[in-house]
């Protein structure tokens, strides 16, 4: 009797504390038939397949290493992500595709949340896609998720290795419209959040990229230019949030 009570109490205690063990999985699906996916945070390659964090995973980058990308994804399609549980309305996970110099389109890429915000995501299939950052002000290309313990699937060559950019214009258009709607919804909820929480994730991610860049290559000028751009992006974001 006493034993039963004690073990019940223990089970309740463990499951109650277990609720707060935040974790996020970032998983690659490389359909290109070439290249090695990279998930990088702070100069470390976390995985080339699948990674599960304990706690949040902030300011990470990812790309498909095709042999011509720099360590921080230079010259390639870059993904920026922060996976975190929302501590306030408007917080939460955020991910984006970036083609801001020194990144250039290298491979069709799609990102999508799962295990929370299923189906929310975005795709860039060609160098001319309008779903990627071109300049730091393009914060609307970010996709966000306010669900706890959300995961992210990153797919390279979502149409397979032979996909040509011009083939799927109609599909891409539809996907773009859907993404725009999603982004709008999420940014609306961002308005109620505190300034600190609603700071665009990409700026954080850019920051980490810049930091690593600065330490690994002598591109201080570029880093500085990006820093200025990031500040501008943050300002624009706040302004937009106020007007909404
Ligand atoms: C990116 O490409 C340019 C032009 O091909 C090259 O000069 C440069 O070294 C590349 N950067 C990295 C980091 O690979």
């Amino acid at each position: 009797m006493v034993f039963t009570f004690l073990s019940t109490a223990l089970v309740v205690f463990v499951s109650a504390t277990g609720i707060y063990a935040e974790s996020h999985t970032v998983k690659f699906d490389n359909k290109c038939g070439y290249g090695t996916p990279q998930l990088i945070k702070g100069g470390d390659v976390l995985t080339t397949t699948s990674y599960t964090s304990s706690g949040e995973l902030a300011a990470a980058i990812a790309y498909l290493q095709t042999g011509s990308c720099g360590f921080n994804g230079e010259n390639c399609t870059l993904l920026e992500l922060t996976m975190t549980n929302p501590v306030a309305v408007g917080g939460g996970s955020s991910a984006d595709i970036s083609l801001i110099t020194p990144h250039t389109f290298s491979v069709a890429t799609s990102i999508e949340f799962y295990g929370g915000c299923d189906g929310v995501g975005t795709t860039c299939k060609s160098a001319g896609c309008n779903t990627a950052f071109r300049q730091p002000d393009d914060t609307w290309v970010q996709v966000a998720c306010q669900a706890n313990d959300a995961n992210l699937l990153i797919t390279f060559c979502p149409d397979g290795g032979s996909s040509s950019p011009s083939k799927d214009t109609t599909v891409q258009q539809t996907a773009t419209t859907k993404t725009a709607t999603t982004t709008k919804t999420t940014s609306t909820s961002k308005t109620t959040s505190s300034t600190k929480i609603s700071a665009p994730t990409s700026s954080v991610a850019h920051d980490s990229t810049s930091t690593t860049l600065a330490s690994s290559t002598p591109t201080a000028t570029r880093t500085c230019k990006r820093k200025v751009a990031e500040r501008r992006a943050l300002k624009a974001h706040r302004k937009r949030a106020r007007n909404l």
Side-chain angles (χ1 to χ4, degrees), residues 141-165:
V141 303
Q142 290 178 287
V143 287
C145 174
Q146 262 99 66
N148 279 344
D149 299 325
N151 309 306
L152 189 72
L153 174 66
I154 299 172
T155 307
F156 298 113
C157 300
D159 296 330
S162 59
S163 79
S164 74

Side-chain angles (χ1 to χ4, degrees), residues 84-237:
T84 184
N85 289 349
V87 289
V89 178
S93 301
S94 173
D96 64 77
I97 301 170
S98 175
L99 296 175
I100 297 175
T101 309
H103 307 287
T104 53
F105 181 86
S106 57
V107 66
T109 303
S110 112
I111 49 178
E112 190 174 325
F113 291 106
Y114 70 97
C117 304
D118 291 28
V120 173
T122 189
T123 301
C124 175
K125 289 190 181 180
S126 65
C129 80
N130 58 0
T131 47
F133 269 98
R134 304 289 166 167
Q135 45 184 340
D137 286 2
D138 299 338
T139 45
W140 51 271
V141 303
Q142 290 178 287
V143 287
C145 174
Q146 262 99 66
N148 279 344
D149 299 325
N151 309 306
L152 189 72
L153 174 66
I154 299 172
T155 307
F156 298 113
C157 300
D159 296 330
S162 59
S163 79
S164 74
S166 50
K167 203 174 68 181
D168 298 303
T169 319
T170 328
V171 178
Q172 198 194 324
Q173 212 73 318
T174 319
T176 305
T177 314
K178 189 180 146 227
T179 309
T181 316
T182 313
T183 313
K184 195 159 183 222
T185 314
T186 49
S187 61
T188 306
S189 56
K190 270 188 179 171
T191 51
T192 43
S193 68
S194 77
T195 316
K196 185 160 183 268
I197 300 291
S198 68
T201 313
S202 82
S203 128
V204 181
H206 274 142
D207 223 320
S208 100
T209 313
S210 310
T211 309
T212 337
L213 253 177
S215 56
S216 57
T217 54
T219 48
T221 344
R222 188 194 287 155
T223 306
C224 183
K225 237 156 74 185
R226 287 186 97 182
K227 283 244 149 73
V228 171
E230 281 155 22
R231 266 200 296 280
R232 210 184 312 126
L234 189 59
K235 233 170 77 189
H237 178 82

Side-chain angles (χ1 to χ4, degrees), residues 68-70 74-75:
S68 50
C69 321
E74 297 93 334
N75 292 341

